[in-house]
Amino acid sequence: MDVTSSSGGGGDPRQIEETKPLLGGDVPAPEGTKMGAVPCRRALLLCNGMRYKLLQEGDIQVCVIRHPRTFLSKILTSKFLRRWEPHHLTLADNSLASATPTGYMENSVSYSAIEDVQLLSWENAPKYCLQLTIPGGTVLLQAANSYLRDQWFHSLQWKKKIYKYKKVLSNPSRWEVVLKEIRTLVDMALTSPLQDDSINQAPLEIVSKLLSENTNLTTQEHENIIVAIAPLLENNHPPPDLCEFFCKHCRERPRSMVVIEVFTPVVQRILKHNMDFGKCPRLRLFTQEYILALNELNAGMEVVKKFIQSMHGPTGHCPHPRVLPNLVAVCLAAIYSCYEEFINSRDNSPSLKEIRNGCQQPCDRKPTLPLRLLHPSPDLVSQEATLSDARLKSVVVASSEIHVEVERTSTAKPALTASTGNDSEPNLIDCLMVSPACSTMSIELGPQADRTLGCYVEILKLLSDYDDWRPSLASLLQPIPFPKEALAHEKFTKELKYVIQRFAEDPRQEVHSCLLSVRAGKDGWFQLYSPGGVACDDDGELFASMVHILMGSCYKTKKFLLSLAENKLGPCMLLALRGNQTMVEILCLMLEYNIIDNNDTQLQIISTLESTDVGRRMYEQLCDRQRELKELQRKGGPTRLTLPSKSTDADLARLLSSGSFGNLENLSLAFTNVTSACAEHLIKLPSLKQLNLWSTQFGDAGLRLLSEHLTMLQVLNLCETPVTDAGLLALSSMKSLCSLNMNSTKLSADTYEDLKAKLPNLKEVDVRYTEAW
């Protein structure tokens, strides 16, 4: 029989291979050929739903037969077959090679030399074999089982076809043919039984390389290619070069239907599944350009708003936890890009210290950079120190994208002027609030940067409207991740005020507590939008709202009051003078807790309170409370006191108001019905050292208040109370504690270890029936 395994006749199989389509199927056997007459036949691949992982390497038996093509069938039907060699084969990008290049696999087998890959079966022969047809012979591969054989078969076919596609698409001639081949390549990837990330990524990388090497394509050809690869993008991120191509399309043709129909599911997948834009920044850039393209449509922000709604979903809670962080990352990068040119020119601009001092050393500057700073002469600077009404020249920083004008005046107070001699580098916010050299600053962006800024600030406002997103958004924005140029831009801070207002109105502590700075010594939103702050434009209305919500949650009340007294006492007094009830309450609390040590300042606060009706009324109530407090704290009365079971907060308040308890050291409220509200009365007991709250409803809020005021407490029993880690952590400030009972509370092991480290005098601890037990 003169039969080959690659064709039904005796023609040259290499010619047959060339006439096949690149992704053509197997050539059928000729009609009339008897199956028994052809001992080597191709096994039919049925769609059985089996899935395989793409092999990169593996162990397999190899046999190479050198023969004329007409004798292959006789060799395979003979009972004798040459020896098999075990090899560890690697399926590289270009060839099939052995880890031990000896014997049959002394030389690697290039995919271009493999004319055909077949599954083989014949009588009285080893099972699970593959046949690779090469010039001058055949390579036989024998696997251990049928699944492994099929895995080798599909992997070899994939590697061979991808190698051919790389060759074919590397030198395109006619683009209509190239487009057809791309569609066939995409179909091959979608129908492959192999399961691996590279199955979909390899075609995308081939197309990406093709586009990067051919930049003279027409717009229609661009769109045709994008539509052709769209099915692969539904479940795969585009590679970096392809992202750059997509960005270019978004910029040049934002109104193209490809942006809506093809890019939308791609961007949605990126926002839902991307884990780190730092590892793939072009994905972020593509998402940024896509949103800007949506904003260029006729409906503009309405389309962007619908897109944000689609990312959140119709329910009250977004089911995709990665969407919000990814959207915020895109917004921050886009806003940063609006000020990028000015940020990059900082090396050629005066330092913030020099701006604050109103001087600059010309020799330290780089005059060759395009962004130049015009500064006043030293004579004018010296005049500023002596002439209080002198107005100096403006400092102008101008470029094609940004215009900054700093108008110097000398209207600051002398005390503030004296502070300019400090050698430390001031931050921009300090400059804008207290500097005699910078009283106003205005920034003007170019048209494109202005549109970009408006779009992404609007997105931040949209994000803040979702209740489930607001806690995470507040946390992400708490470190103030914007460049200082943005914070000095009036338009930006005015638009962002809506977001901060939403944080201030939210009653949840995890939201509004993010208005404070993320660490000590660094300004937060609370400082930026306070009177005198760089972003304040409303005479302190937002500031008062933030103070009200922060004080209402008992968020470190005494510490917060100390911070206000040190940094914001002036704004608080100003708003109290205008009748703001929250600020009046703040000033009364400062007096009640003895926050203010200076007598003159105390008298000024009292005068401020008495200047308005609401202030006068609250100050009178404070005086009444102080008289009651002095009576309560007068020496005398018992040293030990136990309330009857089932007593309430009102019962405790009534009892403490009935006499003097200045000597009270031991108070037992065990098995009563008191709650955290009674903490306001407990903190007025100056000698209290032992407090028993066993089996009461005393919670975290009361515990935080105790930790601020009863720092001399030595024994505390919280057994069977509803306190949690949030309140127990506050006990770390009570350094005098030597006995602490947390039996049957919601104490965690981490909090217990933290308390042990921060309470050096703690000797007796009960943590039974807790996670720390």
Side-chain angles (χ1 to χ4, degrees):
M1 293 288 292
D2 186 12
V3 180
T4 69
S5 61
S6 299
S7 66
D12 188 351
R14 283 174 292 185
Q15 296 177 355
I16 295 175
E17 178 72 20
E18 292 175 359
T19 59
K20 295 178 185 178
L22 192 54
L23 289 179
D26 299 328
V27 177
E31 295 182 3
T33 303
K34 296 181 180 179
M35 296 302 294
V38 184
C40 174
R41 64 181 182 273
R42 182 173 312 200
L44 298 178
L45 297 179
L46 301 177
C47 296
N48 54 7
M50 295 291 290
R51 308 294 289 177
Y52 308 91
K53 181 173 177 59
L54 177 64
L55 279 175
Q56 302 296 340
E57 57 182 340
D59 296 320
I60 199 167
Q61 299 288 325
V62 181
C63 180
V64 177
I65 305 173
R66 302 293 178 182
H67 61 87
R69 297 184 182 279
T70 56
F71 292 99
L72 177 61
S73 59
K74 295 180 180 181
I75 295 173
L76 294 179
T77 54
S78 66
K79 295 182 180 180
F80 172 77
L81 194 62
R82 302 178 67 182
R83 75 180 188 278
W84 294 88
E85 293 179 356
H87 281 275
H88 186 83
L89 300 185
T90 301
L91 285 76
D93 292 337
N94 303 324
S95 62
L96 180 66
S98 173
T100 54
T102 58
Y104 292 143
M105 296 301 297
E106 183 176 1
N107 299 315
S108 60
V109 180
S110 173
Y111 296 137
S112 60
I114 300 176
E115 299 169 357
D116 199 6
V117 182
Q118 303 180 49
L119 295 175
L120 296 181
S121 64
W122 65 93
E123 297 177 0
N124 301 323
K127 296 181 179 180
Y128 317 128
C129 280
L130 293 177
Q131 174 194 339
L132 310 183
T133 303
I134 60 175
T138 298
V139 178
L140 298 178
L141 305 179
Q142 180 181 346
N145 52 61
S146 60
Y147 182 87
L148 190 58
R149 176 201 62 188
D150 294 345
Q151 189 177 13
W152 274 94
F153 172 76
H154 291 297
S155 298
L156 280 167
Q157 275 201 328
W158 173 262
K159 290 284 187 178
K160 179 176 179 291
K161 291 176 179 178
I162 285 294
Y163 176 78
K164 287 187 177 182
Y165 270 110
K166 287 181 180 179
K167 291 291 185 182
V168 170
L169 295 178
S170 62
N171 296 307
S173 55
R174 293 187 302 163
W175 280 99
E176 60 272 13
V177 176
V178 169
L179 185 61
K180 183 177 180 181
E181 294 292 355
I182 290 175
R183 289 171 179 158
T184 312
L185 175 62
V186 171
D187 290 340
M188 181 187 77
L190 294 176
T191 58
S192 173
L194 294 173
Q195 270 187 328
D196 194 87
D197 291 340
S198 63
I199 298 302
N200 291 321
Q201 284 297 325
L204 291 176
E205 290 173 358
I206 292 174
V207 175
S208 178
K209 183 178 180 181
L210 174 69
L211 293 171
S212 63
E213 294 176 351
N214 297 271
T215 58
N216 57 345
L217 299 179
T218 65
T219 303
Q220 189 59 46
E221 289 170 338
H222 280 179
E223 294 194 355
N224 290 339
I225 292 175
I226 293 173
V227 172
I229 63 176
L232 289 180
L233 296 172
E234 292 179 4
N235 298 310
N236 299 273
H237 290 339
D241 290 341
L242 203 56
C243 284
E244 196 165 321
F245 171 72
F246 288 170
C247 290
K248 181 180 178 183
H249 191 83
C250 287
R251 286 191 294 266
E252 295 179 353
R253 299 206 57 185
R255 297 174 182 268
S256 169
M257 290 305 297
V258 169
V259 173
I260 299 294
E261 296 178 357
V262 179
F263 289 168
T264 297
V266 179
V267 174
Q268 287 176 334
R269 187 182 189 281
I270 291 173
L271 292 175
K272 290 177 182 178
H273 299 288
N274 174 66
M275 299 300 292
D276 185 6
F277 276 132
K279 295 179 180 178
C280 41
R282 293 189 185 178
L283 286 180
R284 177 195 52 73
L285 186 60
F286 167 49
T287 306
Q288 178 180 329
E289 294 292 346
Y290 166 79
I291 294 176
L292 289 176
L294 293 185
N295 193 42
E296 292 295 325
L297 299 178
N298 291 335
M301 281 309 302
E302 286 299 319
V303 180
V304 176
K305 184 176 181 179
K306 289 180 181 179
F307 174 74
I308 299 298
Q309 289 175 342
S310 70
M311 295 308 306
H312 181 276
T315 61
H317 291 273
C318 177
H320 306 288
R322 294 299 311 166
V323 167
L324 178 66
N326 286 333
L327 277 172
V328 173
V330 171
C331 290
L332 295 180
I335 292 172
Y336 184 92
S337 68
C338 296
Y339 305 92
E340 191 168 10
E341 184 176 350
F342 181 61
I343 293 170
N344 292 337
S345 69
R346 285 176 183 171
D347 290 340
N348 196 44
S349 61
S351 67
L352 293 174
K353 178 184 175 183
E354 291 170 341
I355 292 178
R356 184 178 181 182
N357 293 338
C359 62
Q360 177 186 3
Q361 298 297 327
C363 59
D364 295 334
R365 299 287 155 244
K366 303 174 184 177
T368 57
L369 292 182
L371 202 59
R372 299 185 302 277
L373 182 70
L374 306 179
H375 57 277
S377 64
D379 294 338
L380 289 176
V381 175
S382 62
Q383 292 175 14
E384 182 184 17
T386 57
L387 301 177
S388 60
D389 57 346
R391 179 175 296 270
L392 302 182
K393 295 180 180 179
S394 295
V395 175
V396 178
V397 180
S399 70
S400 59
E401 292 293 332
I402 188 166
H403 174 78
V404 179
E405 180 177 346
V406 181
E407 185 182 29
R408 294 196 186 91
T409 61
S410 56
T411 58
K413 296 180 181 179
L416 297 178
T417 305
S419 67
T420 59
N422 192 352
D423 292 335
S424 62
E425 183 78 7
N427 59 48
L428 181 69
I429 299 169
D430 291 337
C431 284
L432 297 178
M433 289 194 295
V434 303
S435 171
C438 297
S439 63
T440 61
M441 175 176 282
S442 61
I443 294 180
E444 296 180 5
L445 300 179
Q448 181 59 38
D450 194 65
R451 285 194 297 271
T452 301
L453 181 67
C455 174
Y456 282 98
V457 173
E458 193 66 29
I459 290 177
L460 289 177
K461 293 162 71 174
L462 291 174
L463 298 180
S464 68
D465 286 333
Y466 291 95
D467 291 340
D468 59 322
W469 276 353
R470 202 174 300 129
S472 296
L473 179 63
S475 178
L476 291 169
L477 297 186
Q478 185 177 13
I480 311 185
F482 301 103
K484 57 185 180 182
E485 288 77 12
L487 299 177
H489 189 191
E490 182 180 359
K491 178 180 179 181
F492 172 74
T493 54
K494 186 175 182 179
E495 292 294 325
L496 195 66
K497 181 180 176 181
Y498 177 86
V499 178
I500 307 305
Q501 183 74 49
R502 297 293 285 160
F503 295 162
E505 294 172 350
D506 198 299
R508 292 170 291 182
Q509 183 175 320
E510 63 266 29
V511 178
H512 60 247
S513 64
C514 293
L515 296 170
L516 298 172
S517 58
V518 70
R519 64 179 183 270
K522 187 179 187 301
D523 286 338
W525 295 114
F526 176 76
Q527 285 82 10
L528 291 184
Y529 282 90
S530 63
V534 62
C536 182
D537 63 349
D538 58 358
D539 292 331
E541 293 179 7
L542 179 57
F543 172 71
S545 176
M546 289 190 285
V547 172
H548 176 75
I549 191 68
L550 288 168
M551 290 298 298
S553 65
C554 294
Y555 182 75
K556 296 182 180 179
T557 305
K558 192 170 184 179
K559 184 178 180 181
F560 186 52
L561 286 173
L562 283 169
S563 174
L564 287 176
E566 292 175 0
N567 304 310
K568 299 298 176 186
L569 182 58
C572 290
M573 293 175 62
L574 176 62
L575 294 175
L577 194 62
R578 294 174 179 175
N580 186 281
Q581 185 169 346
T582 299
M583 293 306 161
V584 171
E585 293 176 1
I586 293 294
L587 295 181
C588 288
L589 286 173
M590 288 181 180
L591 295 176
E592 185 172 2
Y593 291 159
N594 294 320
I595 299 295
I596 306 298
D597 295 330
N598 186 283
N599 290 333
D600 291 338
T601 306
Q602 290 181 357
L603 292 175
Q604 186 176 356
I605 291 176
I606 294 172
S607 299
T608 302
L609 292 174
E610 291 181 336
S611 63
T612 61
D613 292 338
V614 61
R616 190 181 306 108
R617 183 175 65 255
M618 288 189 179
Y619 180 63
E620 291 174 356
Q621 294 173 356
L622 170 62
C623 292
D624 292 339
R625 290 199 304 272
Q626 291 287 6
R627 283 191 288 270
E628 294 175 1
L629 179 61
K630 290 179 180 179
E631 182 68 25
L632 172 66
Q633 294 179 345
R634 191 174 59 185
K635 295 299 180 180
T639 59
R640 302 175 62 89
L641 181 63
T642 300
L643 253 68
S645 62
K646 307 302 180 182
S647 298
T648 63
D649 294 331
D651 296 329
L652 176 63
R654 194 177 300 110
L655 177 64
L656 292 180
S657 64
S658 63
S660 301
F661 292 92
N663 291 337
L664 187 62
E665 297 180 358
N666 189 321
L667 175 61
S668 176
L669 302 177
F671 306 104
T672 63
N673 293 332
V674 297
T675 66
S676 294
C678 74
E680 295 182 2
H681 306 289
L682 298 179
I683 63 176
K684 299 174 182 179
L685 301 173
S687 303
L688 192 63
K689 296 179 181 179
Q690 300 180 27
L691 179 60
N692 188 350
L693 295 167
W694 188 359
S695 190
T696 64
Q697 293 302 309
F698 198 88
D700 292 337
L703 211 54
R704 284 194 291 265
L705 195 58
L706 293 184
S707 66
E708 293 179 5
H709 297 273
L710 298 182
T711 55
M712 303 305 295
L713 199 65
Q714 298 176 1
V715 179
L716 180 60
N717 189 342
L718 298 171
C719 179
E720 298 181 9
T721 58
V723 294
T724 65
D725 286 345
L728 292 170
L729 281 172
L731 298 179
S732 59
S733 63
M734 305 176 73
K735 304 300 182 182
S736 299
L737 273 178
C738 56
S739 177
L740 181 58
N741 189 338
M742 296 176 285
N743 187 327
S744 303
T745 63
K746 296 179 181 180
L747 171 72
S748 68
D750 291 340
T751 300
Y752 177 51
E753 294 297 327
D754 188 68
L755 287 175
K756 284 197 302 182
K758 294 181 178 179
L759 296 177
N761 296 321
L762 197 59
K763 299 176 181 178
E764 298 179 6
V765 184
D766 189 349
V767 293
R768 290 175 295 171
Y769 308 106
T770 67
E771 291 184 10
W773 187 32

